[in-house]
Amino acid sequence: AGINLEKFEYTPYPSNDTFHFLYLGRIMKEKGIDELFSSIKRLKEENENFVLDMVGFFEDEYKEQVEELEKQGIIKFHGFQENPIPFYQKADCVVLPSYHEGMSNVLLEAASTGRPLITSNIPGCKEAVNNQVTGYLTEVKNPDDLYEKMKNMLHLTSKQREEMGKQGRSKMEQEFDKKQVVNETIKALEL
């Protein structure tokens, strides 16, 4: 149903000393968590300077992995949060390597806030991204491709990432403004 552009307003790109990827959602296989964990372990082995903030509930099968990765300083687990906005604001990039989605609110909210995205090239995700303009599309269930896209994002300049975020905000204003979507829906229903 679109995105509330006033609630999820554009905020200046962060100047973090350590790069912050953000995953926001249920921590479960169908969300691409195995591929995400594989990718972040590879990046850490290469001494990349980042942390993965994780916000959401995890399914029991991921409890040990989450705790171990947190001990290693690769992820910071924040649990479920009522208000995701401060996490979007702190993020350098939001990543969602899901296997299947409806229309992802997380991606719309993150883009509206002005953050670049990395997500699966599947219905429900790909609509939120202009590939290589507002973020990167990655092959579903492909940890190597996800790793490459995350590495690419890490190696862009802050200015390049900021520009991706601005382009993402513009895309949300043009295509996903809740008021516009509601008006178009009403018009369509009157036909």
Side-chain angles (χ1 to χ4, degrees):
I3 181 75
N4 181 332
L5 295 169
E6 285 83 42
K7 180 177 180 184
F8 295 96
E9 62 187 6
Y10 178 84
T11 55
Y13 196 74
S15 54
N16 296 319
D17 292 333
T18 300
F19 187 100
H20 282 259
F21 284 111
L22 171 64
Y23 171 85
L24 197 149
R26 289 194 31 219
I27 300 165
M28 57 191 288
K29 185 174 184 62
E30 290 78 19
K31 297 287 188 180
I33 293 300
D34 293 340
E35 292 78 7
L36 183 56
F37 284 174
S38 167
S39 298
I40 62 173
K41 287 176 192 171
R42 281 178 70 185
L43 290 167
K44 223 16 134 177
E45 284 165 12
E46 296 171 4
N47 293 315
E48 295 287 359
N49 182 28
F50 75 93
V51 67
L52 172 65
D53 290 301
M54 297 195 85
V55 176
F57 297 112
F58 56 73
E59 300 202 338
D60 288 341
E61 67 183 287
Y62 288 104
K63 186 177 191 309
E64 283 180 29
Q65 280 186 77
V66 167
E67 289 171 354
E68 181 57 33
L69 289 167
E70 191 161 35
K71 252 191 261 173
Q72 294 172 25
I74 299 174
I75 70 169
K76 177 118 180 64
F77 178 64
H78 300 276
F80 173 76
Q81 299 290 323
E82 285 286 325
N83 181 9
I85 293 172
F87 294 93
Y88 292 134
Q89 291 173 338
K90 187 176 183 181
D92 290 283
C93 174
V94 173
V95 59
L96 179 65
S98 196
Y99 294 177
H100 48 83
E101 285 290 327
M103 188 63 227
S104 170
N105 286 328
V106 167
L107 296 176
L108 299 182
E109 292 166 4
S112 186
T113 308
R115 299 304 175 260
L117 309 173
I118 298 175
T119 193
S120 304
N121 189 9
I122 58 166
C125 292
K126 66 182 179 182
E127 294 81 3
V129 178
N130 291 347
N131 195 32
Q132 299 183 10
V133 176
T134 68
Y136 296 126
L137 293 174
T138 182
E139 291 177 26
V140 71
K141 300 182 184 179
N142 185 334
D144 295 329
D145 192 47
L146 179 60
Y147 156 83
E148 290 294 340
K149 299 297 174 21
M150 291 177 78
K151 189 173 178 82
N152 288 349
M153 188 65 71
L154 277 165
H155 289 272
L156 292 175
T157 66
S158 180
K159 275 275 175 240
Q160 289 172 310
R161 291 190 298 267
E162 180 180 21
E163 184 54 32
M164 277 187 160
K166 285 179 178 175
Q167 293 290 330
R169 171 66 186 194
S170 178
K171 180 178 177 67
M172 293 305 108
E173 290 168 352
Q174 292 167 24
E175 299 176 30
F176 291 98
D177 180 352
K178 192 173 195 73
K179 292 175 191 166
Q180 181 183 322
V181 171
V182 168
N183 287 339
E184 287 172 12
T185 303
I186 290 168
K187 277 184 197 162
L189 292 174
E190 288 172 354
L191 294 177

